[in-house]
Amino acid sequence: MKNYKYIIGFSIIAISLLSCGDDNGKADGYGNFEATEITISAENNGKLMQFDVNEGDIVQKETFLGYIDTIPLTLKREQLEVSKAVISSKSKGVLSQIAVLNSKLKTANTNKTRVENLIKDNAGTQKQLDDVTGEIDVIKQQIRGVEIQNAPVVNELKSIDVQLKQIEDQIQKSKIINPANGTVLTKYAEPNEITAFGKPLYKIADLNTMQLRVYISETQLANIKIGQEVTVKIDDSDTMKSYKGKISWIASEAEFTPKIIQTKEERVALVYAVKVDVKNDGSLKIGMPAEMWLTKE
């Protein structure tokens, strides 16, 4: 009889300890996995000449995936280069005139210096100095006139240079360069299709680290902090598979529980959203449900 009472007492204590350890078997938060998705769109108009990407492909940052037809842009660039050459030839003629006038101006300034020295030695006259000074003024006016004549040509050359830079920028944007490491989730276009600026080409997301978005009550908020390690569990056959997770974000404001969460009473409660980073071993998928368990010390 004494042994029987001892066994019963021991069983009650063991059950009590187990109940305290797993907190009645309820997780601290429920939610779904998500990832930061990036939709890559076309940056130019034209025919999609090459597009080497398929759904499920893992692509690295700065990888060349294809290009949009650049023949119209190339032809326009050649036309601008020809126009620039024609205008430059006109400008060279004007610049040669300025060079001749500058040479005359240099000679006139030399003559002026010589006459000034003669006057100091009483070997020259004021009239000679006035003639040279007048000649210098005339040459300067001629140079200004030629420069004014050349100004529109210079401005036109600058305008063509700007247009050439714009063409080069459009040609570069015709190349489809992957902007980030990740896995291709969806492909929206195929080679030989006509695309347009802003039209989606494919969607990519980094699935190496997934984010579990869970919702917790205000009473739980004091027990968590950013950087805290937690346990994340997902369904795996007849048991639960566990992962290590780290809290990376906590909402600063409360919100109503999303409709996907459990009962009507829980849906009208105010909760805080929390994101948990989890290293993906390939089993975690976007939208997959999971549980968050706070790590016990």
Side-chain angles (χ1 to χ4, degrees):
M1 185 68 178
K2 290 182 179 180
N3 292 335
Y4 178 72
K5 289 181 179 179
Y6 174 79
I7 293 172
I8 293 177
F10 179 78
S11 301
I12 292 173
I13 293 172
I15 292 171
S16 299
L17 290 173
L18 290 172
S19 299
C20 294
D22 65 3
D23 194 17
N24 296 324
K26 289 186 178 180
D28 296 288
Y30 300 89
N32 299 84
F33 282 107
E34 58 185 34
T36 302
E37 300 178 2
I38 304 174
T39 300
I40 313 302
S41 302
E43 297 186 77
N44 213 340
N45 304 321
K47 187 176 181 180
L48 198 57
M49 302 300 293
Q50 180 182 338
F51 191 39
D52 301 327
V53 65
N54 294 296
E55 294 179 358
D57 287 351
I58 298 175
V59 290
Q60 303 299 317
K61 184 178 180 180
E62 302 299 330
T63 301
F64 175 81
L65 299 179
Y67 68 96
I68 300 170
D69 185 13
T70 58
I71 291 179
L73 293 173
T74 303
L75 294 175
K76 188 174 181 179
R77 180 177 61 185
E78 291 178 359
Q79 183 181 8
L80 287 171
E81 288 174 346
V82 171
S83 298
K84 182 179 179 180
V86 173
I87 296 171
S88 295
S89 63
K90 295 180 182 178
S91 181
K92 287 178 181 178
V94 176
L95 293 175
S96 63
Q97 295 179 36
I98 294 176
V100 172
L101 291 172
N102 280 327
S103 178
K104 289 183 178 180
L105 180 62
K106 183 179 180 180
T107 301
N109 284 322
T110 301
N111 292 335
K112 181 182 178 181
T113 302
R114 186 180 297 112
V115 170
E116 289 174 342
N117 291 331
L118 289 172
I119 292 175
K120 289 179 182 180
D121 296 334
N122 295 320
T125 64
Q126 184 64 37
K127 183 179 182 304
Q128 290 176 314
L129 181 61
D130 292 341
D131 291 342
V132 174
T133 302
E135 183 183 358
I136 290 174
D137 291 339
V138 170
I139 294 173
K140 287 182 177 179
Q141 289 178 0
Q142 290 175 340
I143 291 174
R144 282 195 292 270
V146 175
E147 288 176 343
I148 292 172
Q149 178 186 351
N150 192 48
V153 178
V154 173
N155 291 334
E156 194 169 356
L157 284 173
K158 290 181 179 178
S159 175
I160 291 178
D161 286 336
V162 171
Q163 294 179 61
L164 285 170
K165 289 180 180 178
Q166 291 175 337
I167 294 295
E168 289 296 334
D169 180 63
Q170 289 181 317
I171 290 176
Q172 288 299 318
K173 289 181 177 179
S174 295
K175 300 176 183 178
I176 304 170
I177 307 296
N178 185 55
N181 298 331
T183 302
V184 178
L185 303 178
T186 311
K187 183 179 180 181
Y188 299 110
E190 296 292 340
N192 298 317
E193 289 184 358
I194 302 298
T195 188
F197 179 84
K199 183 178 178 181
L201 298 176
Y202 65 101
K203 182 186 292 184
I204 191 173
D206 186 357
L207 303 181
N208 290 325
T209 300
M210 304 288 288
Q211 289 81 43
L212 174 64
R213 180 188 286 266
V214 298
Y215 297 88
I216 62 172
S217 64
E218 186 176 1
T219 56
Q220 295 174 291
L221 194 61
N223 297 325
I224 65 170
K225 60 182 179 180
I226 293 178
Q228 179 178 339
E229 291 187 354
V230 298
T231 300
V232 173
K233 296 182 179 182
I234 63 171
D235 292 328
D236 184 25
S237 300
D238 298 331
T239 182
M240 300 289 286
K241 186 176 181 180
S242 297
Y243 293 84
K244 291 182 179 180
K246 182 178 290 186
I247 295 175
S248 59
W249 175 79
I250 302 173
S252 57
E253 295 182 359
E255 58 182 289
F256 285 107
T257 311
K259 293 182 179 180
I260 59 172
I261 302 297
Q262 315 263 332
T263 65
K264 180 178 180 181
E265 290 75 14
E266 289 175 325
R267 291 201 300 268
V268 298
L270 286 175
V271 293
Y272 289 84
V274 175
K275 285 186 180 180
V276 180
D277 289 346
V278 182
K279 192 71 175 177
N280 190 3
D281 61 356
S283 300
L284 306 181
K285 305 294 187 294
I286 295 176
M288 177 183 288
E291 302 174 355
M292 181 190 74
W293 297 70
L294 297 179
T295 303
K296 302 294 190 301
E297 296 183 0

